[in-house]
Amino acid sequence: GAGVSQSPRYKVAKRGQDVALRCDPISGHVSLFWYQQALGQGPEFLTYFQNEAQLDKSGLPSDRFFAERPEGSVSTLKIQRTQQEDSAVYLCASSSPWTDATNEKLFFGSGTQLSVL
Amino acid sequence: AQKITQTQPGMFVQEKEAVTLDCTYDTSDQSYGLFWYKQPSSGEMIFLIYQGSYDEQNATEGRYSLNFQKARKSANLVISASQLGDSAMYFCAMREGLYNQGGKLIFGQGTELSVKP
């Protein structure tokens, strides 16, 4: 596809369930980011991949959150034992492989809205 | 410490008039980038405009312009000739470092813009 694709679009989970959120970045994009956006707030950084390497996971709120990108393309964000405070929109974004600073766009997907009951 | 501050939770503007959305930022880096994104109710983050810290001229993209005042650390977005489709959440963001060096976007809290017919 032409853009960043995320699935599912909506996810309802019971407290304590595990969930997996998928991100399919734009083909060839090296950098991939996950963000968490609580209702009425700006997105907050969770983690960053360069190809398959997870170079920054400083934003992951707890060890229940785990992300992977094993082949350097599709990424999965997994949340174990979900809790109500995990309810948010999870956004994935990717950027071009070019190091040229004039290419500044970060392309976002439409997000996965997670509701934990 | 809050790195991006948007002090206007909500703004109203009459169709066809101009509106300014405020953004101040805090960084000790010399090299950084400033962005504005639009988020309609569909949830996707849409890139609007970018300003590099070394750019001497204010960035413009169609009806959008960025009023960059480096000494005051402000990066206000000006939307000229507002349209009904401009109604959305607007986020100011800052990036320290390039994406492929793990430079992540840090977002403000957002401003909800409503355009009145």
Side-chain angles (χ1 to χ4, degrees):
Chain A
V4 178
S5 177
Q6 291 188 247
S7 61
R9 186 74 176 89
Y10 302 95
K11 177 69 179 176
V12 178
K14 290 184 180 177
R15 189 160 52 98
Q17 279 186 333
D18 298 349
V19 298
L21 313 180
R22 176 189 169 103
C23 172
D24 203 336
I26 294 171
S27 178
H29 277 195
V30 168
S31 299
L32 185 146
F33 297 81
W34 283 98
Y35 283 83
Q36 180 190 58
Q37 186 176 20
L39 188 64
Q41 303 292 316
E44 292 194 357
F45 169 79
L46 292 176
T47 188
Y48 161 68
F49 288 86
Q50 185 172 336
N51 294 307
E52 68 278 3
Q54 188 176 18
L55 299 185
D56 186 350
K57 52 182 181 179
S58 62
L60 296 177
S62 76
D63 58 8
R64 296 185 296 104
F65 286 70
F66 172 75
E68 60 183 6
R69 194 186 183 196
E71 297 178 359
S73 55
V74 171
S75 177
T76 304
L77 176 67
K78 297 179 180 178
I79 309 173
Q80 297 177 325
R81 305 181 304 281
T82 53
Q83 299 178 6
Q84 285 188 322
E85 60 262 31
D86 300 334
S87 295
V89 174
Y90 291 84
L91 294 165
C92 176
S94 67
S95 71
S96 161
W98 309 113
T99 58
D100 185 345
T102 60
N103 188 333
E104 284 292 343
K105 285 186 183 179
L106 194 58
F107 295 85
F108 282 84
S110 295
T112 294
Q113 185 171 325
L114 173 65
S115 299
V116 181
L117 306 178
Chain B
Q2 191 78 1
K3 289 207 166 187
I4 297 288
T5 302
Q6 294 180 253
T7 57
Q8 305 154 314
M11 290 279 287
F12 288 93
V13 64
Q14 203 69 36
E15 192 179 7
K16 299 181 185 177
E17 293 189 350
V19 63
T20 298
L21 306 184
D22 294 341
C23 173
T24 57
Y25 61 93
D26 183 28
T27 182
S28 55
D29 282 12
Q30 296 301 308
S31 177
Y32 52 89
L34 296 160
F35 302 76
W36 279 91
Y37 278 83
K38 172 184 178 181
Q39 188 177 42
S41 55
S42 60
E44 186 178 357
M45 298 287 281
I46 301 169
F47 168 83
L48 295 179
I49 197 166
Y50 161 76
Q51 178 88 38
S53 57
Y54 294 117
D55 296 339
E56 294 187 352
Q57 292 202 342
N58 288 342
T60 59
E61 291 280 354
R63 295 186 299 111
Y64 305 107
S65 60
L66 198 152
N67 184 0
F68 180 45
Q69 298 187 36
K70 195 170 183 177
R72 297 178 62 184
K73 294 190 175 178
S74 75
N76 297 340
L77 176 70
V78 180
I79 305 174
S80 62
S82 297
Q83 301 172 357
L84 295 178
D86 294 336
S87 294
M89 282 290 286
Y90 288 80
F91 290 98
C92 179
M94 177 175 66
R95 179 191 47 75
E96 297 169 325
L98 295 173
Y99 292 132
N100 63 0
Q101 295 168 353
K104 51 190 174 277
L105 286 182
I106 301 167
F107 288 86
Q109 300 285 62
T111 294
E112 184 168 10
L113 178 67
S114 298
V115 180
K116 297 186 195 177

